[in-house]
Amino acid sequence: MSEQPAEYLQGVVDRLTFHSTESGYTVARFKVPRTAEPVTVIGSFANIQPGQTLHLTGQWRNHPKYGEQFQVFQYRETKPATLTGLEKYLGSGLIKGVGPVTAKRIVAHFGLETLDIIEQEIERLQEVPGIAQKRVKMIQTAWESQKVIKEVMLFLQGNGVSTTYAVKIFKQYGQDAISVVSRNPYQLAQDVYGIGFITADTIARNLGIEPGSPFRYRSGLVHVLNQAAEEGHCFLPQAELVASGVKCLTLEEHQPNPQQLEQLIAQMGQDRALMLEPQVERVACYAPPFYQAERNLAVRVETLLAAPLNADIPRVKQWIQRFIAATGMPLSQQQQQAVEMAASQRLGILTGGPGTGKTFTTRTIVALWKAMGKSIALASPTGRAAQRLSEVTGKEATTIHRLLEFDPSKMRFKRDSDDPLPVDAVIVDEASMLDLFLAHSLLKAIPPTAQLLLVGDTDQLPSVGAGNVLGDLIDSAQVPVLRLTQVFRQAQSSQIIQNAYAINQGNYPALEPVSASPATDCLWLGAPEPEDGVQGIQEIIGELMPALGFDPVRDVQVLCPMTRGAVGTRNLNQVLQAVLNPPTPEKGEIGRGGLILRVGDRIIQRVNDYNREVFNGDLGTVVGIDLEEQEVTVLFGERHVTYDRADLNEITLAWAVTIHKSQGSEYPVVLMPMYMQHYLMLSRNLLYTGLTRAKKLAILVGPKQAIGLAVRQVKAQERYTLLSQRLTGEVG
């Protein structure tokens, strides 16, 4: 809520301009006493009908197109005070079985006592002409359901829950909302998207739940594991879970006992609320879904590796020679070995850095499999990577989510071990992006008679989600791997590629200072302070890019180590939006929670949205804003996707994105600020990943000290996974 003082309105809902039954978001016209014209109110309402008398808490704001509006933060319903208000309220459609005519008869008969009669002596409605006992029962049922909604909303708002979350909670639990929230408000963190442990904890304190409540401690420990998963970990060692749990659960008036948390972890292990994996020097603590996925993924890999595959290698070698002769494109010895591996192994990995020919090798493998009569599926974790894979192979490629046919109604993939993919061979590109759960889902859908080839660069950052699947598979030494190391002549001319290898070897990259006529494709702007970097990035985008023939809007992507700080994505997105897509009278514009979107803005999807079929990291462009319907239309590739205002927290501006979120994408020009304020994130593979996203030009911005630190820091933080050990038999 804004820091401005709250204001209050009391009046009657005149009509609904817009109401979303899913999110509760509403635009309504509201009649206020002693005001000639209805005012516009906006906010989230679980149920709202014309004729309702409401007391609203909120603030006035001035919309650039629609003028003055009242933004509602909380509301409560009061009884209509006049006969006309009663008629409109009852006849609004609020109560099934009562239309305008019946409402007029009821009010004419009972007058201002109407609502008291309905609440306390509803059977007396039979006194009204035309209302039989059957109709009375229908009205009673409808009235009770409306009372439940009102009671739930009043309870939630009275305990510090905003109307937006109150609507979501009611949609989740219905009439059980009060009992669920009263008994264990921490259940909200598991069941309601957008409500995390912090919000649930606030509600719990408002309800008077003790800081040492087992519900609170259990939820806090799960919250710590979820946070660890966001950092890529599949589990936490017990000592770290306890230490982080103490920190998370500590309040000014309450300090958890570490021994108590250890006992609780043991109890949760017995209850299977946590999965505990004892090791030599530690106990690995998993949330159950991560434990099951990691174990089952290891079993799937082992099963695929154990399945025999007969391959006529001499015949494959003859085909390779004919292919080289026909295409005039020679294959290196390593590339030929990769093609032979693809012909002879159920599961294989093709890896290598930029310029080593992974793309051409993949295309050759597709051609071989076609010649062998195999049905082939090509996929990648992101839409952009899938599009690129399709372009280089000449065969349709898709995202893994679409390949596995996600079913939003059941929240699972249709393709699995019971209904596997109807193919003989599968290639997954950008496999370094595979997280634990996506890899497990993929392996479940591979038929036991099929082949799977994973293609990726292990020197890039690991997946955004938990796990380090590609790295773990390679480290296990159980999966056949072909690593391409020879950099081809045409790639050697690129300073971007030369610098990528220099960084990987721990050497400082060769960087040319920014100028209007650069001699290489890898530049550096030594802006010493973050504020200098922000100014420098604006000047590069606004002046240098057009001078070098690049379109600042279409061709340039800013990649940042983190979201926070002056050179983080949050601030840079505000700055770059003003430069690249400033407001104009003809552009639509909509805001939510500090985010302003305009037609023409580049955006990124922040979460997997299976109903809309857009996924974490997908980039799109805002192409339409309907202020009347409060909807935003985004173009992803060739697909138009519509969001209502309540769901705008799923997307954010993408003029600047984190390097993590850039995986699987390539851009003509990459600008990368590197500053010591992000020292925790600076690492060799982060710098390498960002640099290799650039196809034509890369510009590093920042002091040499920060770039040097990134080169020196090798994997600043290892991920906690046991997939490799499960494959080698060290762990069950």
Side-chain angles (χ1 to χ4, degrees):
M1 188 185 295
S2 168
E3 293 179 1
Q4 296 175 336
E7 300 180 73
Y8 306 94
L9 281 185
Q10 177 130 354
V12 178
V13 179
D14 183 56
R15 63 185 173 85
L16 301 182
T17 304
F18 173 77
H19 175 68
S20 166
T21 55
E22 289 300 313
S23 66
Y25 181 76
T26 302
V27 180
R29 298 287 282 167
F30 192 69
K31 282 189 175 178
V32 181
R34 297 181 295 280
T35 303
E37 289 293 319
V39 300
T40 298
V41 298
I42 58 174
S44 293
F45 296 81
N47 190 56
I48 185 170
Q49 298 288 345
Q52 283 180 291
T53 301
L54 301 177
H55 181 275
L56 309 178
T57 302
Q59 289 170 355
W60 288 102
R61 71 174 200 178
N62 196 37
H63 191 280
K65 182 175 180 181
Y66 293 107
E68 215 171 28
Q69 299 177 333
F70 191 76
Q71 172 74 57
V72 179
F73 301 134
Q74 289 189 321
Y75 71 92
R76 58 183 172 83
E77 185 173 7
T78 59
K79 293 180 180 179
T82 66
L83 293 178
T84 304
L86 278 169
E87 284 181 17
K88 187 159 189 174
Y89 178 58
L90 291 178
S92 65
L94 179 75
I95 305 165
K96 190 176 180 182
V98 178
V101 174
T102 303
K104 195 174 185 70
R105 287 182 191 155
I106 293 172
V107 174
H109 189 83
F110 295 113
L112 291 175
E113 295 181 352
T114 296
L115 294 184
D116 291 330
I117 296 292
I118 292 174
E119 285 190 359
Q120 299 165 21
E121 303 176 85
I122 197 165
E123 67 279 354
R124 288 188 58 193
L125 288 181
Q126 292 180 75
E127 298 173 15
V128 179
I131 298 183
Q133 187 175 5
K134 187 176 180 182
R135 175 87 72 88
V136 171
K137 286 290 184 189
M138 187 191 307
I139 294 170
Q140 185 175 22
T141 301
W143 183 259
E144 289 298 326
S145 70
Q146 296 307 312
K147 278 178 66 178
V148 167
I149 294 176
K150 294 170 203 165
E151 288 168 3
V152 170
M153 296 303 288
L154 283 172
F155 169 80
L156 294 173
Q157 291 178 29
N159 285 286
V161 182
S162 71
T163 54
T164 299
Y165 286 142
V167 171
K168 287 187 172 185
I169 293 167
F170 181 78
K171 299 288 184 190
Q172 177 72 30
Y173 302 119
Q175 62 184 16
D176 295 328
I178 293 176
S179 63
V180 170
V181 175
S182 299
R183 184 175 66 254
N184 179 14
Y186 297 99
Q187 188 71 30
L188 299 174
Q190 296 180 42
D191 296 344
V192 183
Y193 174 73
I195 295 184
F197 172 78
I198 305 302
T199 303
D201 203 29
T202 302
I203 297 168
R205 289 207 294 277
N206 288 332
L207 288 168
I209 289 179
E210 290 296 320
S213 158
F215 282 136
R216 180 170 187 265
Y217 278 16
R218 282 175 172 256
S219 183
L221 291 172
V222 171
H223 172 66
V224 168
L225 285 176
N226 288 338
Q227 283 191 312
E230 290 181 8
E231 294 172 7
H233 301 301
C234 296
F235 69 88
L236 281 181
Q238 181 171 306
E240 286 194 33
L241 178 56
V242 169
S244 297
V246 168
K247 188 175 180 181
C248 168
L249 293 164
T250 294
L251 300 172
E252 191 173 331
E253 70 279 10
H254 179 77
Q255 175 81 31
N257 184 327
Q259 291 179 330
Q260 191 178 354
L261 289 186
E262 288 175 3
Q263 292 168 1
L264 180 59
I265 288 169
Q267 181 61 53
M268 292 174 75
Q270 291 178 10
D271 299 341
R272 312 289 281 184
L274 291 180
M275 306 302 291
L276 308 181
E277 182 89 70
Q279 295 181 274
V280 176
E281 296 180 350
R282 65 186 182 186
V283 174
C285 301
Y286 285 84
F290 291 84
Y291 178 79
Q292 300 297 344
E294 191 176 85
R295 286 197 68 188
N296 292 338
L297 174 57
V299 170
R300 296 279 170 190
V301 169
E302 290 166 348
T303 302
L304 201 56
L305 289 171
L309 178 64
N310 296 320
D312 187 344
I313 295 300
R315 190 175 177 187
V316 170
K317 289 182 175 180
Q318 291 172 5
W319 179 90
I320 292 173
Q321 296 310 312
R322 291 197 302 272
F323 178 82
I324 292 173
T327 60
M329 298 287 288
L331 289 169
S332 70
Q333 185 177 357
Q334 288 180 336
Q335 290 176 314
Q336 291 188 47
Q337 290 171 348
V339 177
E340 291 170 20
M341 178 186 73
S344 59
Q345 301 294 334
R346 289 280 179 205
L347 173 61
I349 295 172
L350 174 63
T351 187
T356 56
K358 290 195 305 296
T359 296
F360 182 64
T361 306
T362 302
R363 188 163 66 197
T364 305
I365 290 168
V366 170
L368 170 65
W369 279 347
K370 278 184 180 177
M372 296 172 75
K374 293 180 180 291
S375 56
I376 308 164
L378 305 180
S380 185
T382 69
R384 287 198 165 201
Q387 182 181 353
R388 198 168 66 248
L389 180 60
S390 181
E391 289 167 357
V392 300
T393 60
K395 179 175 170 56
E396 183 183 359
T398 183
T399 62
I400 297 173
H401 285 87
R402 291 202 178 94
L403 177 69
L404 302 183
E405 300 176 34
F406 192 84
D407 183 352
S409 65
K410 297 179 180 176
M411 289 305 289
R412 65 179 183 84
F413 292 109
K414 292 179 183 177
R415 297 295 181 181
D416 57 17
S417 53
D418 295 326
D419 185 15
L421 293 164
V423 296
D424 302 314
V426 178
I427 293 179
V428 173
D429 196 15
E430 297 290 351
S432 62
M433 298 178 67
L434 281 174
D435 64 29
L436 174 65
F437 291 105
L438 191 56
H440 179 225
S441 296
L442 173 68
L443 266 292
K444 278 202 299 184
I446 301 295
T449 56
Q451 294 176 261
L452 173 62
L453 178 68
L454 302 177
V455 182
D457 184 349
T458 54
D459 291 318
Q460 289 186 27
L461 288 167
S463 57
V464 174
N468 183 23
V469 174
L470 188 64
D472 286 348
L473 291 176
I474 293 173
D475 290 345
S476 75
Q478 304 300 303
V479 181
V481 178
L482 198 296
R483 186 183 299 272
L484 301 175
T485 57
Q486 180 184 339
V487 179
F488 288 91
R489 187 180 307 158
Q490 61 269 32
Q492 291 174 358
S493 63
S494 166
Q495 193 63 53
I496 292 173
I497 290 177
Q498 288 186 42
N499 280 335
Y501 284 102
I503 290 165
N504 259 350
Q505 291 161 14
N507 297 321
Y508 193 89
L511 300 170
E512 177 190 342
V514 166
S515 69
S517 54
T520 75
D521 58 4
C522 204
L523 310 180
W524 169 62
L525 179 67
E529 298 297 329
E531 292 71 21
D532 303 325
V534 173
Q535 182 63 34
I537 288 170
Q538 291 181 75
E539 291 172 0
I540 288 170
I541 288 176
E543 300 169 19
L544 182 61
M545 289 299 101
L548 295 178
F550 293 108
D551 183 326
V553 173
R554 288 201 307 266
D555 295 339
V556 182
Q557 182 63 60
V558 176
L559 302 181
C560 307
M562 294 181 72
T563 59
R564 297 190 296 273
V567 285
T569 58
R570 290 176 191 164
N571 181 58
L572 282 175
N573 269 317
Q574 302 296 320
V575 170
L576 296 175
Q577 184 188 44
V579 172
L580 295 168
N581 194 29
T584 60
E586 63 273 8
K587 273 182 196 169
E589 185 174 292
I590 192 169
R592 185 184 189 279
L595 172 69
I596 300 293
L597 291 177
R598 301 185 187 114
V599 171
D601 272 333
R602 184 187 302 160
I603 64 93
I604 189 168
Q605 180 75 14
R606 300 172 62 192
V607 296
N608 289 336
D609 186 328
Y610 297 105
N611 290 302
R612 292 184 174 92
E613 288 192 11
V614 286
F615 303 101
N616 190 351
D618 284 355
L619 289 175
T621 303
V622 177
V623 293
I625 294 176
D626 187 329
L627 291 171
E628 189 71 27
E629 297 292 337
Q630 293 285 296
E631 290 180 341
V632 175
T633 301
V634 177
L635 182 64
F636 290 97
E638 298 180 356
R639 292 180 62 242
H640 287 85
V641 177
T642 301
Y643 299 80
D644 64 37
R645 185 176 175 277
D647 291 329
L648 291 185
N649 60 344
E650 289 191 7
I651 61 178
T652 193
L653 290 169
W655 300 112
V657 300
T658 62
I659 296 171
H660 263 102
K661 289 288 179 100
S662 74
Q663 289 174 265
S665 296
E666 289 183 344
Y667 316 96
V669 180
V670 163
L671 297 184
M672 196 161 33
M674 303 292 287
Y675 283 87
M676 293 303 291
Q677 67 175 213
H678 292 159
Y679 73 94
L680 285 174
M681 287 296 295
L682 298 181
S683 67
R684 189 176 296 177
N685 58 357
L686 181 109
L687 179 56
Y688 173 90
T689 300
L691 188 65
T692 54
R693 300 308 90 207
K695 289 195 292 186
K696 296 181 179 178
L697 181 64
I699 305 177
L700 301 186
V701 178
K704 289 184 176 181
Q705 178 191 13
I707 299 171
L709 177 64
V711 171
R712 290 191 302 275
Q713 290 200 127
V714 182
K715 294 185 179 179
Q717 185 184 44
E718 295 285 351
R719 294 187 168 195
Y720 289 123
T721 80
L722 289 177
L723 177 60
S724 178
Q725 290 89 329
R726 294 188 195 283
L727 289 170
T728 58
E730 296 172 52
V731 176

